[in-house]
């Protein structure tokens, strides 16, 4: 075996690596699983114990030599090849087609909603996602012990600061800084401390809107939202209003639309009621106007708010909310729109 090792050592030294292909040939002959070195390692297992020390050392030496030569050759030849190919690049060739990207389905819905309200003269407003108690709760007429302030719903940062739970906080900021007439929509991300499931997430997106002027009435609210729904879902859609409660509106209502999927026949999505809940709305409570410095004797207004994910789920019939947040391009690139 000692002789075989000496012979192999010589072969390794003499093997000429002149170009790229020889690098691979070298590896196959000496270093691969079925190469010469591995054969010797197999034989080594049967060597008598007293010879193991000497032969083992020699075997390792030869292996290291082969390994080193191969690594050096690889560096030399593969780098050369790269440099050469760089030199040969034809810059006049047309560019390869690359994936152009697509808008996220939630952005598509958001932009559609913004466009519809823009036509009605609503402006766009934004506000901070980290809010103080005043803008998220107090100015919106939330009594001090209202359950929505509870730790279960709200991510508190400190006693007075939280991640906003709705974009109504932007309404307050707007009312504080502008004089009526105010007509605005405010889209944005909101946070609620909920367990993540197919139907709920710890954050989601909302679009809320307000309209404040002299003599704004519930009839204006109904007509505005009816127009909006027909623009978004088509002329065949019906709406209904159900009495509801929000601290910041009085009276308050929830608006349903006729089920888009079964068209009134009854299905799983509408839970066989043929109606789908779509948004909350109401006449802005006089206390809220007062808190923001608007005279409730002179002005009135309506407000509404909806979840973008909910509209997307209805429109695209994608029932698992989580798919909107995994950023799997196979999913999000299916949706077309601006
Ligand atoms: N802020 C309410 C929510 O997050 C929605 C809403 C807005 C309801 C305006 C009425 C008026 O659920």
């Amino acid at each position: 075996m000692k002789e075989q090792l000496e012979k192999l050592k010589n072969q390794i030294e003499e093997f000429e690596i002149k170009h790229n292909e020889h690098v691979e040939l070298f590896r196959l002959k000496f270093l691969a699983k079925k190469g010469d070195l591995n054969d010797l390692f197999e034989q080594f297992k049967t060597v008598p114990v007293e010879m193991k020390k000497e032969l083992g050392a020699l075997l390792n030496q030869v292996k290291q030599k082969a390994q080193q030569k191969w690594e050096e050759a690889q560096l030399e030849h593969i780098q050369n090849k790269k440099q050469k190919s760089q030199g040969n690049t034809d810059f006049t060739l047309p560019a390869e087609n690359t994936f152009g990207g697509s808008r996220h389905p939630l952005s598509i819905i958001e932009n559609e909603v913004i466009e519809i309200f823009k036509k009605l003269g609503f402006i766009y407003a934004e506000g901070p996602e980290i809010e103080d108690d005043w803008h998220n709760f107090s100015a919106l007429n939330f009594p001090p012990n209202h359950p929505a302030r509870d730790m279960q719903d709200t991510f508190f940062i400190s006693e007075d600061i939280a991640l906003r739970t709705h974009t109504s906080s932007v309404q307050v900021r707007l009312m504080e800084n502008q004089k009526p007439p105010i007509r605005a929509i405010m889209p944005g991300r909101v946070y609620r401390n909920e367990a993540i499931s197919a139907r709920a997430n710890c954050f989601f997106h909302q679009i809320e809107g307000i309209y404040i002027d002299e003599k704004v009435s519930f009839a204006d609210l109904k007509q505005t939202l009816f127009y909006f729904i027909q623009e978004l879902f088509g002329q065949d859609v019906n709406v209904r209003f159900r009495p509801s409660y929000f601290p910041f509106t009085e009276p308050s209502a929830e608006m349903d639309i006729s089920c888009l999927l079964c068209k009134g026949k009854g299905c799983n999505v509408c839970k066989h009621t043929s109606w789908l809940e779509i948004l909350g709305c109401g006449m802005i409570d006089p206390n809220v106007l007062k808190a923001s410095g608007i005279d409730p004797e002179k002005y009135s207004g309506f407000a509404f708010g909806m979840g973008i994910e909910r509209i997307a789920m209805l429109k695209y019939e994608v029932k698992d909310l989580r798919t909107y947040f995994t950023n799997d391009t196979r999913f999000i690139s299916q949706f077309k729109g601006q």
Side-chain angles (χ1 to χ4, degrees):
M1 185 168 170
K2 199 171 169 183
E3 272 168 38
Q4 275 175 303
L5 269 170
E6 290 295 344
K7 207 169 129 198
L8 193 64
K9 198 171 149 192
N10 288 337
Q11 279 179 352
I12 289 170
E13 275 166 9
E14 281 159 19
F15 195 106
E16 279 193 286
I17 302 180
K18 287 195 179 142
H19 55 77
N20 198 24
E21 276 156 38
H22 291 164
V23 181
E24 183 59 4
L25 282 179
F26 180 87
R27 190 188 69 83
L28 288 173
K29 174 148 177 56
F30 301 111
L31 292 166
K33 242 197 172 137
K34 289 186 179 156
D36 294 352
L37 261 167
N38 238 9
D39 281 352
L40 288 177
F41 270 97
E42 282 300 311
Q43 273 188 42
F44 182 71
K45 289 181 189 159
T46 60
V47 160
V49 189
E50 62 275 15
M51 302 195 53
K52 273 212 156 98
K53 197 172 172 196
E54 187 194 353
L55 284 177
L58 197 57
L59 191 55
N60 276 331
Q61 225 180 41
V62 178
K63 188 182 169 187
Q64 266 173 19
K65 208 176 181 76
Q67 191 76 30
Q68 197 184 351
K69 181 158 176 170
W70 179 64
E71 277 167 14
E72 281 169 7
Q74 239 191 344
L75 267 179
E76 185 186 347
H77 291 280
I78 289 169
Q79 270 189 358
N80 267 349
K81 201 178 161 204
K82 267 198 193 150
Q83 272 162 9
K84 270 185 209 148
S85 78
Q86 267 168 10
N88 288 339
T89 306
D90 182 352
F91 292 107
T92 62
L93 283 174
E96 276 175 34
N97 271 343
T98 48
F99 174 55
S102 61
R103 219 174 265 291
H104 193 283
L106 296 179
S107 302
I108 296 174
I109 301 276
E110 184 179 307
N111 289 341
E112 265 181 62
V113 175
I114 292 171
E115 278 310 308
I116 297 170
F117 280 104
K118 238 192 200 170
K119 281 194 259 172
L120 294 173
F122 282 68
I123 61 154
Y124 174 98
E126 274 181 342
E129 291 184 13
I130 299 174
E131 259 305 359
D132 51 34
D133 179 277
W134 171 255
H135 291 97
N136 199 76
F137 296 125
S138 296
L140 289 160
N141 203 29
F142 277 84
N145 294 318
H146 193 279
R149 294 177 178 224
D150 197 285
M151 294 297 283
Q152 278 173 5
D153 291 315
T154 309
F155 288 112
F156 283 99
I157 291 169
S158 67
E159 207 179 312
D160 189 47
I161 305 286
L163 297 181
R164 68 179 176 197
T165 57
H166 50 187
T167 46
S168 305
S169 54
V170 188
Q171 306 187 359
V172 178
R173 288 181 178 275
L174 211 67
M175 289 188 283
E176 284 172 342
N177 294 316
Q178 285 187 23
K179 295 242 160 309
I182 302 173
R183 219 180 296 158
I185 47 166
M186 42 289 288
R189 184 175 287 183
V190 301
Y191 300 83
R192 294 199 191 164
N193 193 357
E194 301 214 26
I196 298 168
S197 71
R199 298 174 63 87
N201 198 12
C202 54
F203 68 85
F204 59 97
H205 300 81
Q206 276 191 332
I207 296 191
E208 296 208 2
I210 45 168
Y211 176 29
I212 304 171
D213 202 350
E214 287 177 36
K215 301 196 181 75
V216 174
S217 72
F218 205 89
D220 297 316
L221 175 153
K222 278 170 96 173
Q223 188 51 42
T224 306
L225 294 179
F226 185 49
Y227 169 82
F228 157 67
I229 287 298
Q230 289 206 324
E231 285 291 295
L232 190 66
F233 292 112
Q235 301 294 312
D236 298 338
V237 178
N238 274 323
V239 301
R240 73 171 183 186
F241 291 83
R242 277 180 294 108
S244 186
Y245 170 76
F246 299 104
F248 35 91
T249 47
E250 181 58 37
S252 304
E254 254 161 278
M255 191 172 96
D256 296 341
I257 58 169
S258 51
C259 183
L260 305 163
L261 302 175
C262 66
K263 308 251 180 311
K265 287 193 204 85
C267 68
N268 279 340
V269 175
C270 64
K271 299 197 189 89
H272 299 276
T273 62
S274 72
W275 293 101
L276 299 166
E277 201 182 300
I278 195 93
L279 54 80
C281 56
M283 299 307 291
I284 302 174
D285 194 295
N287 284 342
V288 174
L289 295 174
K290 225 185 285 168
S292 306
I294 293 175
D295 179 3
E297 300 294 330
K298 188 166 179 208
Y299 296 105
S300 57
F302 65 74
F304 55 90
M306 67 196 101
I308 300 179
E309 280 80 355
R310 177 149 183 85
I311 296 178
M313 281 160 95
L314 295 176
K315 203 160 173 166
Y316 298 133
E317 294 173 37
V318 175
K319 292 188 194 111
D320 192 333
L321 189 64
R322 292 167 292 196
T323 36
Y324 290 103
F325 304 115
T326 47
N327 281 339
D328 183 339
T329 50
R330 287 170 307 175
F331 171 70
I332 52 183
S333 63
Q334 295 172 78
F335 303 95
K336 301 277 169 280
Q338 278 309 301

